[in-house]
């Protein structure tokens, strides 16, 4: 069953791209685009739609379920990607386009909305104005809800006829002029969120029956941040995520008539990571927690789809199972099954019989049997704060200490590492390196107090958390002392260089990619706006920025350094990497620097991604000395 379908998909890729996908050779086997993504089933169950990542674009493909043959496809010019694909009815899809400057930078949508029939006909723009898809409108086969951005005017929420390209009905204006809207299961706008005059604290509004907006929360006054996440099937109850002063966020039911909030669920350790909804009525049925391995709590355990999901989860123990789409009658669902060693497979589940049928793997080149497992861990930092993280050890380590790559995540505030398949980590593990990830204080997922505990701790307690986790890996016999390297991107690059500054005897080398290194220069640039000034004042606190800027402390670095940067990076400009390079050069420290033209905050072009990966592997082999590392690919 599997081979004929995959052969058909490979033929499709050849047809679309004009050449075969990247050969399965390291490191291409890990870093090249996958075969398929975002697979969804049509409401009548007769077709699948999916995106196909190619080297310089992303295509849309429609397949007949009966014979898995292509019935239609759409593809833009180079550097333009199909995104946000949805079935509007049995035969029509809508989708958007986006231009991406790198895997670490969010795709930038053009604001153009397109449609296509399942047979590939009538493909093209729905409307000439900018229109961002907001809601597909359950039980409405002709209209979608969009945010309309007219020339010179404020964005408004309105219905759009996908066949005529005409806007119809009332146009709802945001109470702040800009921000996010929240519609119920019937497409009725009920709430709005946003920021006033570049504040860093949010505001929330409820829309009354007469169309008037009523402010229900001002974070700057209440100290409470809340998020709208969905509605009950009858739309009488809204569900909110609300921050607590201590510990993780709570999941609350909000009575639409009285405004009363009732706690429904709260994890002892982590925030709500995702909300699950019924495919028939849109009602919230469960929440997902990213507590080590993902955990699912059913809010409506008696709902038939909650029970169906629970059955599928039991059928795939050790995996993360998430539904992607269902048929209109709810009898068939598509589920994405993934894990730390499995980059993902799509299964079709018959809810009447409980039978699961394999559809396609996201990336056929990723063999779960050769991947390295990712293990969650928790430790107490030196001041007693509980810190979580993940460690990935090569399959052939045999219980012996191996070279270790410590990878602090970027952000830093609100970002966090999760359990799951990571191609770069698997590439490093395949070369004999263990990988350590740390959700240091300031990371997201652990509540407001944990996130805010990083304020004023750049290069201090946040750095200590990374160091403490590294020493834990040594104590556990995971890491070989003297063969440990720090490697991070963005803020992670800052943490890598500060680790070399503060712990010169602990790390054998450091790698910084698209990094932030001179806070004095960065503050001068960002403080030009109120938001930037408030953000950095809060995050950095009252501290002499020279004392926490690695570019100005390079004289303390004793280990070799590799730096990478995108010439067009606006998040952490090239000036930051040049400042770090200058500091290392003045200190006489061993260092290498590579920059990439036409790249920004992360590398999109495959030639650049591969070049960087090979440089990283060669640098690690030279300075962390993995005895069992394979030679870098030519």
């Amino acid at each position: 069953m599997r081979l004929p379908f995959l052969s058909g998909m490979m033929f499709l890729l050849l047809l679309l791209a004009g050449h075969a996908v990247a050969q399965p050779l390291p490191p291409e086997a890990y870093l090249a685009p996958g075969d398929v993504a975002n697979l969804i089933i049509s409401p009548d169950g007769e077709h699948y739609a999916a995106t196909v990542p190619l080297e310089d674009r992303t295509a849309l493909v429609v397949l007949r379920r009966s014979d898995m043959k292509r019935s239609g496809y759409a593809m833009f010019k180079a550097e333009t990607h199909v995104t946000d694909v949805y079935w509007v009815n049995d035969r029509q899809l809508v989708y958007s386009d986006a231009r991406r400057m790198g895997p670490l930078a969010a795709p930038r949508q053009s604001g153009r909305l397109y449609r296509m029939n399942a047979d590939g006909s009538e493909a093209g723009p729905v409307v000439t104005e900018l229109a961002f898809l907001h809601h597909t409108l359950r039980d409405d086969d002709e209209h979608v809800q969009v945010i309309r951005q007219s020339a010179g005017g404020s964005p408004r929420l309105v219905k759009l006829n996908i066949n005529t390209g005409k806007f119809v009905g009332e146009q709802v204006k945001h109470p702040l002029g800009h921000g996010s809207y929240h519609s119920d299961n019937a497409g009725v706008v009920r709430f709005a969120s946003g920021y006033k005059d570049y504040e860093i604290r949010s505001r929330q509004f409820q829309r009354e029956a007469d169309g008037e907006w009523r402010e229900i929360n001002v974070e700057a006054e209440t100290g409470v941040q809340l998020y709208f996440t969905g509605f009950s099937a009858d739309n009488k109850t809204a569900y909110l995520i609300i921050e607590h002063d201590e510990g993780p966020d709570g999941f609350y039911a909000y009575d639409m008539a009285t405004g009363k909030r009732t706690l429904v669920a709260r994890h002892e350790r982590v925030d709500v990571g995702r909300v699950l909804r019924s495919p028939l009525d849109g009602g919230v049925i469960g929440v997902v927690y990213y507590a080590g391995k993902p955990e699912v709590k059913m809010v409506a355990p008696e709902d038939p789809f909650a029970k169906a999901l629970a059955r599928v989860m039991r059928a795939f123990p050790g995996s993360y199972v998430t539904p992607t789409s269902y048929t209109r009658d709810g009898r068939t669902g598509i589920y994405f099954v993934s894990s730390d060693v499995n980059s993902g497979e799509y299964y079709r589940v018959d809810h009447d019989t409980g039978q699961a049928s394999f559809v396609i793997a996201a990336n056929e080149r990723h063999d779960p049997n050769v991947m390295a497992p990712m293990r969650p861990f928790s430790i107490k930092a030196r001041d007693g704060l509980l810190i979580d993280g993940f460690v990935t050890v090569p399959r052939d380590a045999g219980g012996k200490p191996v070279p270790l790559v410590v990878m602090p995540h970027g952000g830093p505030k609100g970002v966090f590492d999760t359990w799951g398949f990571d191609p770069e980590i698997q590439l490093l593990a395949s070369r004999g390196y263990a990988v350590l990830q740390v959700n240091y204080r300031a990371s997201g997922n652990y509540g407001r107090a944990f996130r805010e505990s990083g304020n004023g701790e750049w290069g201090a307690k946040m750095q200590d958390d990374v160091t403490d986790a590294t020493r834990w890996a040594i104590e556990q016999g995971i890491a070989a002392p003297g063969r440990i390297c720090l490697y991070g991107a963005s803020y992670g690059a800052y943490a890598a260089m500060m680790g070399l500054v503060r712990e010169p005897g602990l790390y054998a080398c450091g790698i910084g990619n698209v990094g932030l290194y001179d806070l004095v220069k960065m503050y001068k640039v960002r403080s030009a706006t109120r938001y930037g000034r408030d953000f950095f004042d809060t995050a950095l606190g009252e501290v002499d920025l020279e004392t926490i800027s690695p570019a100005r402390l390079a004289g303390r670095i004793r280990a070799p350094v590799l730096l990478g940067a995108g010439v067009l990076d606006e998040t952490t400009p090239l000036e930051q990497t040049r400042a770090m390079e200058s500091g290392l050069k003045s200190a006489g420290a061993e260092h290498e620097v590579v920059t990439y033209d036409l790249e920004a905050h992360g590398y999109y072009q495959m030639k650049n991604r591969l070049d960087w990966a090979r440089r990283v592997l060669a640098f690690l082999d030279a300075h962390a000395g993995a005895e069992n590392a394979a030679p870098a690919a030519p």
Side-chain angles (χ1 to χ4, degrees):
M1 172 181 176
R2 186 166 179 170
L3 289 177
F5 176 73
L6 290 176
S7 297
M9 178 55 72
M10 295 307 293
F11 171 77
L12 174 62
L13 292 177
L14 285 168
L15 177 64
L16 293 179
H19 55 78
V21 295
Q23 294 299 310
L25 299 172
E28 291 89 330
Y30 297 92
L31 303 180
D35 299 320
V36 67
N38 307 309
L39 184 79
I40 54 175
I41 195 168
S42 61
D44 61 2
E46 297 299 318
H47 293 87
Y48 298 117
T51 56
V52 178
L54 305 174
E55 183 173 347
D56 63 352
R57 70 197 76 187
T58 301
L60 168 62
V61 178
V62 180
L63 304 170
R64 289 188 297 268
R65 175 181 164 185
S66 59
D67 58 8
M68 300 311 296
K69 300 295 186 180
R70 176 177 64 84
S71 64
Y73 74 91
M75 185 168 59
F76 296 112
K77 63 182 181 180
E79 309 301 332
T80 305
H81 306 263
V82 172
T83 184
D84 287 347
V85 179
Y86 294 93
W87 288 100
V88 179
N89 51 54
D90 292 344
R91 68 183 184 87
Q92 287 180 304
L93 297 124
V94 293
Y95 55 98
S96 304
D97 68 343
R99 183 173 295 274
R100 208 163 47 188
M101 291 300 293
L104 298 181
R108 295 183 298 195
Q109 289 193 358
S110 71
R112 293 181 176 85
L113 192 65
Y114 303 82
R115 70 173 184 181
M116 185 180 76
N117 292 336
D119 62 4
S121 63
E122 298 184 22
V126 177
V127 63
T128 57
E129 293 185 33
L130 298 183
F132 297 88
L133 183 66
H134 176 72
H135 198 292
T136 54
L137 297 176
R138 191 180 307 275
D139 300 325
D140 188 333
D141 288 350
E142 286 192 87
H143 300 91
V144 294
Q145 204 172 48
V146 299
I147 298 176
R148 179 187 184 186
Q149 180 67 67
S150 57
S154 299
R156 301 194 177 202
L157 198 66
V158 63
K159 279 186 179 181
L160 173 66
N161 187 306
I162 63 170
N163 294 307
T164 67
K166 302 295 185 182
F167 296 105
V168 298
E170 180 187 13
Q171 298 194 30
V172 180
K173 183 179 179 180
H174 195 281
L176 296 176
H178 56 86
S180 58
Y181 297 89
H182 307 276
S183 302
D184 64 18
N185 299 312
V188 178
V189 184
R190 309 298 291 271
F191 297 103
S193 301
Y195 298 84
K196 183 179 180 181
D197 300 329
Y198 302 101
E199 294 174 335
I200 63 173
R201 304 292 182 183
S202 64
R203 297 169 180 256
Q204 286 77 37
F205 301 81
Q206 182 173 348
R207 192 165 183 254
E208 307 292 4
D210 60 3
E212 294 297 316
W213 291 104
R214 176 170 61 89
E215 198 164 50
I216 61 174
N217 184 62
V218 180
E219 185 187 353
E221 298 175 2
T222 64
V224 174
Q225 189 169 26
L226 59 85
Y227 310 90
F228 302 103
T229 65
F231 293 83
S232 59
D234 60 9
N235 294 318
K236 293 181 178 180
T237 301
Y239 290 96
L240 317 175
I241 295 174
I242 301 179
E243 290 183 340
H244 286 230
D245 290 337
E246 297 291 336
D249 301 345
F251 189 68
Y252 285 79
Y254 177 89
D255 189 298
M256 294 295 296
T258 67
K260 181 181 178 181
R261 304 171 187 173
T262 304
L263 182 64
V264 175
R266 189 182 184 214
H267 195 277
E268 63 180 9
R269 184 84 179 99
V270 301
D271 300 336
V272 171
R274 182 180 179 185
V275 176
L276 303 173
R277 300 175 180 84
S278 165
L280 289 188
D281 54 39
V284 171
I285 61 174
V287 295
V288 180
Y289 296 113
Y290 298 120
K293 295 182 179 181
E295 300 174 7
V296 176
K297 176 179 176 57
M298 298 303 179
V299 174
E302 297 306 312
D303 183 277
F305 297 100
K307 292 181 178 180
L309 176 58
R311 286 194 296 269
V312 178
M313 290 168 57
R314 288 193 295 270
F316 294 95
S319 297
Y320 177 38
V321 179
T322 180
T324 73
S325 55
Y326 302 83
T327 53
R328 181 183 295 103
D329 58 15
R331 297 178 64 182
T332 303
I334 300 298
Y335 294 82
F336 186 65
V337 180
S338 63
S339 72
D340 51 342
V341 296
N342 182 357
S343 59
E345 298 170 328
Y346 292 94
Y347 286 83
R348 184 181 67 252
V349 176
D350 185 319
H351 290 149
D352 290 338
T353 65
Q355 181 179 0
S357 303
F358 173 80
V359 179
I360 189 173
N363 193 325
E364 186 65 17
R365 294 176 295 283
H366 293 164
D367 181 358
N369 295 313
V370 302
M371 300 298 173
M374 176 185 287
R375 176 166 62 91
F377 70 86
S378 296
I379 62 169
K380 282 191 175 182
R382 64 189 69 182
D383 64 354
L385 184 66
L386 189 61
I387 301 294
D388 291 346
F390 303 91
V391 62
T392 303
V393 178
R395 293 180 72 96
D396 58 357
K400 298 179 181 179
V402 296
L404 176 70
V405 178
V406 181
M407 295 186 70
H409 63 71
K413 199 171 185 178
V415 179
F416 60 99
D417 288 318
T418 59
W419 181 87
F421 188 87
D422 186 303
E424 187 174 30
I425 289 175
Q426 291 299 332
L427 172 60
L428 291 170
S430 73
R431 303 304 180 94
Y433 295 96
V435 179
L436 183 73
Q437 299 168 277
V438 189
N439 283 327
Y440 47 79
R441 69 193 72 203
S443 300
N445 195 43
Y446 301 94
R448 181 175 62 187
F450 187 89
R451 187 176 67 249
E452 300 298 326
S453 69
N455 291 341
E457 298 297 342
W458 284 43
K461 290 183 179 180
M462 288 167 65
Q463 198 65 46
D464 291 341
D465 295 342
V466 177
T467 301
D468 292 347
T470 303
R471 295 193 185 282
W472 169 85
I474 295 174
E475 294 168 359
Q476 295 295 309
I478 297 169
R483 300 167 71 189
I484 303 173
C485 189
L486 280 160
Y487 173 25
S490 198
Y491 173 86
Y494 169 88
M497 295 302 106
M498 281 302 295
L500 299 185
V501 169
R502 288 170 57 93
E503 306 291 341
L506 183 59
Y507 300 107
C509 56
I511 304 172
N513 192 23
V514 296
L516 169 64
Y517 308 111
D518 191 326
L519 295 176
V520 177
K521 291 183 177 181
M522 182 62 81
Y523 184 83
K524 288 180 179 178
V525 173
R526 296 294 185 239
S527 62
T529 66
R530 176 183 171 184
Y531 178 85
R533 182 175 64 255
D534 289 348
F535 174 84
F536 273 102
D537 284 347
T538 301
L540 300 176
E542 296 182 2
V543 62
D544 181 352
L545 298 184
E546 290 197 12
T547 66
I548 57 171
S549 293
R552 297 172 183 246
L553 303 171
R556 303 181 190 179
I557 294 178
R558 300 290 180 266
V561 170
L562 171 64
L563 300 176
V567 172
L568 302 182
D569 193 346
E570 296 180 355
T571 304
T572 53
L574 179 61
E575 175 191 34
Q576 288 288 310
T577 296
R578 293 304 186 203
M580 191 71 224
E581 179 185 18
S582 178
L584 292 168
K585 186 178 297 184
S586 297
E590 182 179 349
H591 64 281
E592 304 173 33
V593 181
V594 57
T595 62
Y596 297 97
D597 295 334
L598 304 180
E599 297 284 14
H601 200 58
Y603 312 136
Y604 168 69
Q605 295 184 65
M606 182 53 60
K607 66 177 182 178
N608 293 335
R609 297 182 66 190
L610 292 176
D611 180 78
W612 174 248
R614 290 167 180 148
R615 288 175 185 270
V616 167
L617 292 173
F619 182 82
L620 289 172
D621 289 349
H623 301 293
E627 295 173 346
N628 58 340

